Amino acid sequence: MVQENDHDLIREAEATRVQILSEALPYIQQFAGRTVVVKYGGAAMKDSNLKDKVIRDVVFLSCVGVRPVVVHGGGPEINSWLDKLGIEPQFKDGLRVTDAPTMDVVEMVLVGRVNKELVSLINQAGGLAVGLCGKDGNLIKARPEGRKGIGFVGEVSSVDIKLVDSLVKSGYIPVVSSVSADESGQAYNINADTVAGEIAAALGAEKLILLTDTPGILEDYQDLSTLMAKLDIQQARGLIASGVVAGGMIPKVNCCVRSLAQGVRAAHIIDGRIPHALLLEIFTKKGIGSMIVASEFTT
């Protein structure tokens, strides 16, 4: 038998749910029809429980009229397959040394396994996903990164967004792996953050969101209370120059700054270890990570 206080708890839970939906409404209205590019990686990719929530968030975005594009890497899975094949993973200056045998594995894992798993999961959750890599429709043309001794590590030379734009406008969710090719057809492994930033810029996206294993940009990396919820390009560059932003965060912040300089309205670095991080950042007033905008006057 249901007690009176149980009724109160049920009513309270329902009221909270309605309040959350009500708070989300203006954001849903604001971002309906807008493109959001999500770079998916880190713990949210390795933890099956977190993965399920990211997939549901992406489908939710699509269902309420937002146009998500997912860009992914897959470092841990690449390492796992290199190990199975007896190839020793090597890194130089934080970049994976990608010789010809490693490049074959990278392409097999990212394009053949990780990409299709994400497509399948999104479709199972009620979305309409289509898997792509940089080679499809000449989406991304690559060029060598340039440093010696790193093999087939590439940079984005050019972006042809027609295929992705067509899919997005038709209600599909493009899922893009960060493998591409140069003019001669040679495959290259490109940093997924970079690919996400360049695709967001080419699409004129409303938002670029990087799912990371950090809370965002911290003034003191040991103190979570120093999270910077909002900053502009000038502040972001200053934090790099002063050393507040350091290590692996530098390329992520630079990626955000580049995309903003090319017309993306806001770039977010958020903690993918938090369940439903995407929805919390987009559809709540406080958000959960760091949002970088072009200037302090931009809302």
Side-chain angles (χ1 to χ4, degrees):
M1 187 174 170
V2 179
Q3 301 295 319
E4 182 62 34
N5 61 342
D6 291 335
H7 278 299
D8 290 341
L9 286 172
I10 291 167
R11 277 197 294 270
E12 192 176 322
E14 288 173 346
T16 302
R17 194 173 291 124
V18 168
Q19 184 182 343
I20 291 164
L21 286 170
S22 180
E23 184 183 340
L25 178 60
Y27 297 101
I28 291 171
Q29 290 170 321
Q30 182 181 351
F31 300 132
R34 307 287 178 86
T35 303
V36 172
V37 177
V38 178
K39 188 289 179 138
Y40 177 41
M45 201 171 218
K46 291 176 274 188
D47 182 318
S48 58
N49 187 40
L50 287 171
K51 182 183 286 187
D52 175 65
K53 289 177 171 56
V54 172
I55 297 299
R56 288 174 65 87
D57 286 2
V58 168
V59 173
F60 183 97
L61 290 173
S62 182
C63 286
V64 298
V66 181
R67 296 171 167 178
V69 176
V70 178
V71 178
H72 69 87
E77 184 129 2
I78 292 168
N79 289 341
S80 170
W81 277 91
L82 287 172
D83 184 53
K84 287 176 188 177
L85 296 167
I87 301 171
E88 184 75 29
Q90 294 182 349
F91 293 87
K92 183 177 179 180
D93 301 329
L95 296 170
R96 181 186 297 280
V97 176
T98 310
D99 56 13
T102 301
M103 188 63 233
D104 286 344
V105 175
V106 168
E107 186 161 11
M108 176 188 79
V109 172
L110 292 188
V111 180
R113 285 186 60 85
V114 177
N115 187 272
K116 294 311 169 202
E117 183 200 9
L118 294 177
V119 166
S120 179
L121 289 170
I122 290 171
N123 290 344
Q124 285 172 46
L128 280 172
V130 176
L132 304 169
C133 74
K135 295 179 179 182
D136 292 304
N138 284 332
L139 171 57
I140 293 161
K141 274 281 194 290
R143 62 169 179 255
E145 196 271 348
R147 272 179 266 189
K148 286 187 176 179
I150 56 171
F152 299 112
V153 175
E155 287 184 340
V156 175
S157 174
S158 64
V159 180
D160 185 338
I161 217 65
K162 287 195 293 289
L163 176 59
V164 169
D165 196 39
S166 174
L167 288 168
V168 164
K169 286 176 178 171
S170 300
Y172 292 97
I173 302 170
V175 180
V176 184
S177 65
S178 55
V179 171
S180 193
D182 64 13
E183 297 289 347
S184 70
Q186 170 61 53
Y188 279 86
N189 181 22
I190 305 180
N191 178 280
D193 290 339
T194 303
V195 170
E198 294 300 322
I199 287 177
L203 284 169
E206 180 73 20
K207 292 181 181 294
L208 166 67
I209 302 178
L210 306 183
L211 282 173
T212 69
D213 289 347
T214 66
I217 299 171
L218 303 173
E219 287 187 78
D220 176 355
Y221 76 94
Q222 294 178 312
D223 185 354
L224 295 180
S225 71
T226 65
L227 175 71
M228 301 182 73
K230 187 175 181 182
L231 58 160
D232 63 24
I233 285 179
Q234 288 72 27
Q235 288 172 293
R237 286 178 173 149
L239 291 171
I240 293 174
S242 67
V244 171
V245 168
M249 281 296 278
I250 292 175
K252 292 187 185 300
V253 173
N254 276 333
C255 164
C256 291
V257 167
R258 269 198 312 274
S259 69
L260 291 166
Q262 296 177 79
V264 174
R265 285 183 60 83
H268 305 249
I269 297 174
I270 68 172
D271 195 340
R273 299 168 298 184
I274 297 173
H276 296 299
L278 274 176
L279 299 188
L280 285 166
E281 181 68 8
I282 298 173
F283 294 133
T284 63
K285 194 175 292 185
K286 284 183 70 175
I288 58 157
S290 297
M291 176 170 76
I292 310 173
V293 294
S295 79
E296 62 183 311
F297 306 110
T298 309
T299 54

